[in-house]
Amino acid sequence: MSEIQYRQAKNGKLLIEILPDKCDFCGCCVGVCPEDAIELKEAEIYIIDPRCTNCAKCIWSCPIEVIKLNKNGVPVK
Amino acid sequence: MKQEYDIVVVGAGPAGSMAARFAAEQGVSVLVLEKDRDVGYPVRCGEAISKEGVAEFITPDEKWITARISKFAMIAPDGTEAVIELPGEGYILERRIFDYELAKSAAAAGAEYITRAYVNGLIIEDDTVKGVKYQFRGADKEVRAKIVIAADGVESRVGRWAGLKTHIDFRDMECCTQATVSGVKLNTDTCYFYFGENVAPSGYFWVFPKGEGIANVGLGVSGAIGKKRSAQSFLNTFMEQHYPNASVLTCIAGGVPCSPTLDKITGKGIMLVGDAARQVNPLSGGGIASGMIGGKLAGITAGEAIKKGNLNHIHEYEKRWHDRLGRRHETFNRIKEGIYNFKDEKFNAIAHSFNKVPYEKRSLGNLFTTALINQPSLLIDVAKVFLVK
């Protein structure tokens, strides 16, 4: 069994997870992100890990609960 | 397409297309880059606008007017309905057609469009924006420009890359979700606004008719509310209570930045328009008309700057915007902050006392006056908006 690898944010483990299957790609999270750490294309969204500070403003601003706080960290897939 | 344009516009919403059109009309070269496959789709909007807001830009056309609005109904938390005849006509648009028509008008003026062009960076030389980097059909590309106009909406990243402070405070973000539903009964000439802790605290819930039996049903709440409860959760509750059997034809999310205009909406080689510049009316959350005005002023100023050969002229746009709408929006924002924390009892009291005003004497102005009767400091602002004009 190999050890679980976690995605790394600017200040430790990445704790923010965007669920792309549920996303409407509306851009609220991008607008409120203080670090410009979210990439949003036509129908593709992801966090730019080294910029994220886990501040959670994207979670609060998502109108449809697509972004979650994962306290254990987000594993590398 | 060329390798270099006088002006590159990022985003083909109403603000971007109007910037493109009013620049192109002056004979300068304009390229518009749109991230999505279609101009006008997906729609992220309640789609309400006043007739005068439209008429400055395009001749009203039945193909994008789904309903004509003559009444405003405020529904208080206790269910009391206060109805007002509006002074002018309003429309509920079909934005996917409306935006497309605006783009057609810009293209007819000479602007070139590319869709599915994802702008992911700027060309910056000597601290000045000189063009954009973008992806198109899997390839990285660049296009140079003397002026870049950022009309990239609520995301407003292009301005950030140019060093402008376009990041939105989450408390100013009205986080919205909307369902377009079929099989509902309502008057097709009335826009309905619901207020209260249980429907949309710090914002409002709207039901806008979109023709017989169809309506845009949605709400916005500040990110400060979203921290505790999402817009989606409020929408679900409302739908269960009011329209449990309606068919949902479309379901969308979106953000409206409700604050005064940014301090700086121009920089070296860059101008911001529409949501990216915070040109939304911060009280109503309406941004189509004001975005088109911002786009027009930016497009005119940018075209003039190119023709004069003086790029410093683009800063004139800031003054033109503030004279036309920016200062008015500051007043709207103070009113918004005044009513932001109204409790349910207050909304109920407003509706009750307003309904004592004879119907023919009711106006939006005296609704606000009633609303703010206990907030004397705000009455001055209200007077500015409705009396002084």
Side-chain angles (χ1 to χ4, degrees), chain B residues 43-154:
Chain B
V43 176
R44 304 203 180 278
C45 185
E47 304 184 293
I49 191 169
S50 70
K51 181 181 178 179
E52 61 177 357
V54 168
E56 183 176 338
F57 298 94
I58 187 168
T59 308
D61 189 328
E62 292 307 320
K63 69 184 167 197
W64 43 257
I65 298 172
T66 65
R68 291 171 182 274
I69 303 301
S70 59
K71 296 191 188 77
F72 168 106
M74 168 200 175
I75 294 103
D78 68 359
T80 307
E81 195 173 302
V83 182
I84 308 162
E85 296 270 352
L86 292 167
E89 195 177 25
Y91 301 137
I92 306 302
L93 301 174
E94 192 70 78
R95 277 285 301 273
R96 59 177 77 187
I97 301 173
F98 181 75
D99 286 24
Y100 191 74
E101 290 298 318
L102 294 179
K104 271 167 69 180
S105 77
E112 294 177 37
Y113 276 72
I114 304 180
T115 63
R116 291 193 97 170
Y118 176 63
V119 172
N120 59 359
L122 292 174
I123 303 168
I124 297 178
E125 293 165 1
D126 306 324
D127 280 340
T128 304
V129 176
K130 301 275 188 179
V132 305
K133 301 173 183 178
Y134 66 102
Q135 293 176 339
F136 181 67
R137 294 184 184 160
D140 287 319
K141 295 182 178 268
E142 289 189 359
V143 60
R144 295 183 68 88
K146 298 190 181 84
I147 300 168
V148 170
I149 299 181
D152 57 328
V154 71

Side-chain angles (χ1 to χ4, degrees), chain A residues 24 30 33 36 39 42 65, chain B residues 37 44 118 157 160 230:
Chain A
D24 196 39
V30 179
C33 176
D36 194 25
E39 198 71 53
E42 185 176 23
E65 302 175 36
Chain B
R37 185 165 54 189
R44 304 203 180 278
Y118 176 63
R157 296 180 75 197
R160 289 195 213 199
S230 71

Side-chain angles (χ1 to χ4, degrees), chain B residues 96-387:
Chain B
R96 59 177 77 187
I97 301 173
F98 181 75
D99 286 24
Y100 191 74
E101 290 298 318
L102 294 179
K104 271 167 69 180
S105 77
E112 294 177 37
Y113 276 72
I114 304 180
T115 63
R116 291 193 97 170
Y118 176 63
V119 172
N120 59 359
L122 292 174
I123 303 168
I124 297 178
E125 293 165 1
D126 306 324
D127 280 340
T128 304
V129 176
K130 301 275 188 179
V132 305
K133 301 173 183 178
Y134 66 102
Q135 293 176 339
F136 181 67
R137 294 184 184 160
D140 287 319
K141 295 182 178 268
E142 289 189 359
V143 60
R144 295 183 68 88
K146 298 190 181 84
I147 300 168
V148 170
I149 299 181
D152 57 328
V154 71
E155 293 141 66
S156 59
R157 296 180 75 197
V158 175
R160 289 195 213 199
W161 299 333
L164 298 172
K165 294 194 176 72
T166 63
H167 155 249
I168 303 165
D169 188 309
F170 76 99
R171 288 161 289 209
D172 292 333
M173 181 70 94
E174 287 289 317
C175 311
C176 305
T177 180
Q178 172 178 281
T180 302
V181 298
S182 175
V184 298
K185 282 195 182 125
L186 71 175
N187 295 325
T188 55
D189 63 354
T190 307
C191 275
Y192 299 83
F193 295 83
Y194 294 75
F195 295 88
E197 289 290 307
N198 293 322
V199 287
S202 86
Y204 61 82
F205 200 108
W206 64 83
V207 177
F208 296 163
K210 231 183 148 175
E212 203 62 49
I214 300 178
N216 282 342
V217 178
L219 79 149
V221 290
S222 153
I225 299 294
K227 210 169 166 177
K228 291 163 233 145
R229 188 176 168 193
S230 71
Q232 185 68 56
S233 160
F234 285 101
L235 179 62
N236 293 347
T237 303
F238 188 94
M239 292 293 289
E240 281 161 22
Q241 284 175 355
H242 294 261
Y243 305 120
N245 300 315
S247 294
V248 176
L249 303 179
T250 309
C251 208
I252 54 165
V256 183
C258 286
S259 71
T261 311
L262 295 174
D263 290 338
K264 271 179 70 95
I265 54 174
T266 61
K268 286 183 180 173
I270 185 146
M271 308 166 86
L272 310 179
V273 298
D275 284 12
R278 300 305 173 277
Q279 288 174 333
V280 173
N281 174 337
L283 179 60
S284 67
I288 311 168
S290 55
M292 288 194 290
I293 288 169
K296 175 183 178 178
L297 297 176
I300 289 171
T301 314
E304 289 170 355
I306 299 293
K307 286 195 299 181
K308 284 171 193 260
N310 174 13
L311 295 182
N312 282 328
H313 178 69
I314 65 173
H315 304 299
E316 185 68 19
Y317 160 58
E318 298 208 339
K319 183 180 181 308
R320 290 175 178 178
W321 165 256
H322 284 288
D323 287 349
R324 175 86 196 261
L325 273 182
R327 275 196 289 281
R328 207 168 147 85
H329 281 187
E330 285 166 21
T331 307
F332 284 137
N333 194 58
R334 284 197 294 274
I335 297 173
K336 173 202 152 189
E337 285 175 350
I339 60 177
Y340 197 78
N341 293 316
F342 274 15
K343 295 278 177 261
D344 282 3
E345 304 78 58
K346 194 148 189 173
F347 282 116
N348 293 335
I350 292 162
H352 297 163
S353 52
F354 191 74
N355 276 343
K356 289 175 190 150
V357 177
Y359 186 76
E360 62 281 5
K361 288 189 177 170
R362 292 179 197 176
S363 70
L364 272 184
N366 60 29
L367 176 68
F368 275 106
T369 314
T370 312
L372 299 166
I373 211 83
N374 297 321
Q375 308 259 328
S377 60
L378 281 163
L379 282 173
I380 298 159
D381 286 330
V382 173
K384 271 193 209 160
V385 174
F386 293 103
L387 305 176

Side-chain angles (χ1 to χ4, degrees), chain A:
Chain A
M1 278 273 292
S2 62
E3 208 177 311
I4 301 171
Q5 294 282 309
Y6 290 96
R7 287 168 60 178
Q8 292 298 306
K10 195 173 185 176
N11 51 358
K13 269 188 198 171
L14 181 73
L15 307 178
I16 310 278
E17 194 168 12
I18 301 177
L19 311 173
D21 290 351
K22 293 176 76 179
C23 183
D24 196 39
F25 311 103
C26 77
C28 279
C29 55
V30 179
V32 302
C33 176
E35 309 297 332
D36 194 25
I38 303 173
E39 198 71 53
L40 170 61
K41 303 186 184 180
E42 185 176 23
E44 183 184 347
I45 188 163
Y46 55 88
I47 292 172
I48 304 164
D49 298 12
R51 293 188 190 173
C52 179
T53 61
N54 292 315
C55 76
K57 286 177 180 135
C58 54
I59 299 179
W60 307 334
S61 305
C62 179
I64 54 174
E65 302 175 36
V66 167
I67 313 180
K68 300 288 179 196
L69 186 74
N70 187 341
K71 281 179 183 155
N72 300 319
V74 182
V76 176
K77 280 194 184 132

